[in-house]
Amino acid sequence: MTDLADLWPLAALRVTCGDLELRYLDESTLTALAQLAAEGIHDPDFMPFTGTWSRGTPTEVARSVLTFQWGKRAATTPDDWHLDLALVRGGEVLGVQGMMAKAYPVTRTAETGSWLGRRHQGQGLGTRMRLMILHLLFEGLGAHEATTQAFADNAASNGVTRRLGYAENGVDIDPREGKAVLSNRYVLSLAAWQSRPEAHRLDVTLDGVGPAREFLGIV
């Protein structure tokens, strides 16, 4: 054993597409992500998340990112995991793309979620990072389906999801800052992924998948 990846194989996961990379949140990358969140993620009068971690002083928001990621890392098991990967371009952290699952070795179903720093939004990165994580799920981790959801008033997130061919999968009523709001649920099957249009067939390279599969109990 010579480095972190020998003990914690998820640390070696990489998804590369052109000038973009999804990489594991080691401490330096996580610090950069926390600093990015502190700069702002959304308009003050809008909340895209179920929790309120993105509200507060810059220091409070940054610390919320740190504690969330440390907690999820410590709780990782093959039957219950939440893995976030930083979106990086030219050494700069732009946002985070995550996936989470319970009983994944049995269900082969995972949910995705993401956010970008405000100054990196509106550049098409949301679509590319989603396609990259879907490539990891379907081509690397053997997923049978991928799910996601977004508040009904989150036009950007719903737009990305619909453009990528997800099927609508019902609605939930969720709490958001003390009020009940509608959330749209979506599902993308393996068959739909394999039949995606040419425009969605990015040239993606995966690294570190084998050890990650073994670590997560995927056979």
Side-chain angles (χ1 to χ4, degrees):
M1 296 178 289
T2 60
D3 56 27
L4 176 62
D6 291 325
L7 293 169
W8 197 256
L10 299 180
L13 272 178
R14 295 286 188 278
V15 184
T16 306
C17 178
D19 62 345
L20 295 179
E21 181 184 59
L22 292 176
R23 71 170 66 156
Y24 185 75
L25 289 167
D26 59 22
E27 289 306 293
S28 62
T29 307
L30 176 54
T31 300
L33 182 70
Q35 292 170 337
L36 178 66
E39 297 175 13
I41 302 171
H42 53 79
D43 292 335
D45 59 351
F46 179 67
M47 173 54 71
F49 310 119
T50 53
T52 58
W53 62 268
S54 56
R55 296 215 189 275
T57 68
T59 298
E60 288 170 341
V61 172
R63 286 175 177 167
S64 292
V65 172
L66 295 176
T67 56
F68 176 82
Q69 293 296 338
W70 288 333
K72 291 301 181 182
R73 182 186 305 173
T76 296
T77 69
D79 284 328
D80 190 351
W81 46 266
H82 182 133
L83 176 62
D84 282 346
L85 301 175
L87 181 70
V88 180
R89 180 175 59 194
E92 181 182 13
V93 175
L94 312 178
V96 67
Q97 174 69 68
M99 53 185 178
M100 63 211 78
K102 293 186 177 182
Y104 184 82
V106 176
T107 68
R108 295 299 178 98
T109 297
E111 181 175 347
T112 66
S114 65
W115 59 263
L116 288 163
R118 285 188 67 184
R119 57 192 170 90
H120 303 301
Q121 296 171 13
Q123 304 173 27
L125 294 171
T127 299
R128 290 181 66 191
M129 66 199 289
R130 180 85 67 86
L131 284 168
M132 290 167 70
I133 203 72
L134 289 173
H135 196 104
L136 174 59
L137 279 171
F138 285 117
E139 308 297 338
L141 301 182
H144 293 166
E145 64 178 22
T147 65
T148 193
Q149 64 182 65
F151 289 127
D153 59 3
N154 189 340
S157 182
N158 283 286
V160 168
T161 299
R162 289 166 176 153
R163 283 195 300 274
L164 295 185
Y166 286 73
E168 294 183 1
N169 195 34
V171 297
D172 291 328
I173 299 177
D174 291 320
R176 182 177 65 182
E177 299 190 298
K179 297 180 180 180
V181 294
L182 288 178
S183 289
N184 295 325
R185 297 199 311 267
Y186 302 92
V187 61
L188 183 70
S189 67
L190 175 60
W193 168 256
Q194 291 174 334
S195 65
R196 68 196 188 283
E198 189 65 29
H200 294 165
R201 295 181 180 277
L202 302 181
D203 184 11
V204 174
T205 300
L206 302 177
D207 293 297
V209 169
R213 286 179 64 107
E214 182 179 0
F215 182 76
L216 295 175
I218 304 168
V219 296

